[in-house]
């Protein structure tokens, strides 16, 4: 579950050996219609996803199970690395200036990412494509595609396949209400 009760603006390296520093963890967004904070939505979905995956026979390791934590993005990646995860799924929701913007996207490392091995880059890109495809077919959300970037600390520190799913836009009233509803969350975790 992405984010937490309070952000931590202390800095940490963007990737192993990087001189570029970023905030350890940002505070996230909140619903324009529901006023639900992103950190709460993310954990609601993560808990349901854990249950769904365990029902399918997967072992699930949660990065956080409560809101009042202080876990940086590097620490989150290290949890996945230590677990030797087959997939590290980072659950988030998006926001945009225009309330009309909607849809889901995933975030993956570029083919040139200097912090990851070629094998992990490729596996992360494949994971991102598959998660997004299944998510959109289960929810009916607009598929905004995979965003490729090397600016995500929680990706750059991974030694396991990783993706960030941006489930939808909390700045879009209809999508915000959808993501907050139990019936839509059921579709999310099925996808």
């Amino acid at each position: 579950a992405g984010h937490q009760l309070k952000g931590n603006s202390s800095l940490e390296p963007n990737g192993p050996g990087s001189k570029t520093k970023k905030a350890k963890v940002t505070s996230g967004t909140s619903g324009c219609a529901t006023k639900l904070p992103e950190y709460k939505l993310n954990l609601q979905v993560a808990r349901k996803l854990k249950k769904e995956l365990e029902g399918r026979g997967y072992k699930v390791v949660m990065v956080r199970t409560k809101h009042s934590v202080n876990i940086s993005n590097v620490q989150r990646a290290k949890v996945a690395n230590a677990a030797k995860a087959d997939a590290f799924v980072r659950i988030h929701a998006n926001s945009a200036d225009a309330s009309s913007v909607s849809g889901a996207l995933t975030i993956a490392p570029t083919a040139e990412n200097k912090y990851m091995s070629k094998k992990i880059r490729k596996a992360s890109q494949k994971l991102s494509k598959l998660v997004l495809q299944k998510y959109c077919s289960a929810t009916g959300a607009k598929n905004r595609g995979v965003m490729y970037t090397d600016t995500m600390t929680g990706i750059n520190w991974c030694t396991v396949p990783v993706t960030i799913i941006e489930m939808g836009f909390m700045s879009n009233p209809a999508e915000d209400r959808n993501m907050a509803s139990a019936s839509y969350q059921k579709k999310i975790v099925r996808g």
Side-chain angles (χ1 to χ4, degrees):
H3 302 291
Q4 57 198 27
L5 178 63
K6 291 187 176 122
N8 181 344
S9 57
S10 299
L11 302 178
E12 62 186 357
N14 187 51
S18 175
K19 288 184 179 24
T20 303
K21 307 263 187 187
K22 289 183 67 181
K24 287 188 173 186
V25 62
T26 59
S27 55
T29 189
S30 60
C32 66
T34 64
K35 306 301 179 214
L36 179 67
E38 182 189 355
Y39 71 86
K40 284 188 177 179
L41 171 66
N42 295 344
L43 188 56
Q44 285 174 4
V45 172
R47 284 183 173 136
K48 290 176 181 177
L49 182 59
K50 178 182 194 285
K51 204 171 178 179
E52 174 75 20
L53 290 171
E54 287 174 343
R56 295 182 189 190
Y58 291 92
K59 178 183 175 209
V60 177
V61 175
M62 298 281 282
V63 168
R64 72 176 177 96
T65 56
K66 58 188 184 183
H67 301 308
S68 188
V69 296
N70 187 11
I71 309 168
S72 79
N73 285 314
V74 170
Q75 289 170 309
R76 290 164 195 254
K78 287 181 175 180
V79 168
N81 296 343
K84 295 182 175 30
D86 294 311
F88 179 26
V89 180
R90 303 181 61 211
I91 298 170
H92 285 264
N94 224 330
S95 184
D97 290 338
S99 62
S100 59
V101 179
S102 68
L105 62 94
T106 52
I107 304 175
T110 71
E112 293 79 37
N113 185 300
K114 63 184 177 190
Y115 305 111
M116 306 173 110
S117 70
K118 183 178 180 182
K119 181 181 174 188
I120 296 301
R121 283 193 311 260
K122 282 185 173 282
S124 298
Q125 291 168 349
K126 183 178 181 184
L127 175 66
S128 296
K129 285 177 190 153
L130 292 171
V131 165
L132 183 60
Q133 182 186 348
K134 297 297 182 184
Y135 179 92
C136 290
S137 55
T139 60
K142 175 183 177 180
N143 185 328
R144 299 187 66 85
V146 178
M147 181 179 131
Y148 297 94
T149 182
D150 298 332
T151 63
M152 297 289 169
T153 309
I155 289 177
N156 294 338
W157 283 85
C158 281
T159 56
V160 297
V162 57
T163 189
I164 296 174
I165 174 87
E166 294 281 1
M167 301 179 287
F169 285 79
M170 295 185 90
S171 50
N172 177 300
E175 210 157 62
D176 176 34
R177 286 188 201 94
N178 262 347
M179 288 186 290
S181 78
S183 60
Y184 193 80
Q185 287 182 5
K186 194 177 272 189
K187 291 176 185 176
I188 287 173
V189 300
R190 206 172 293 138

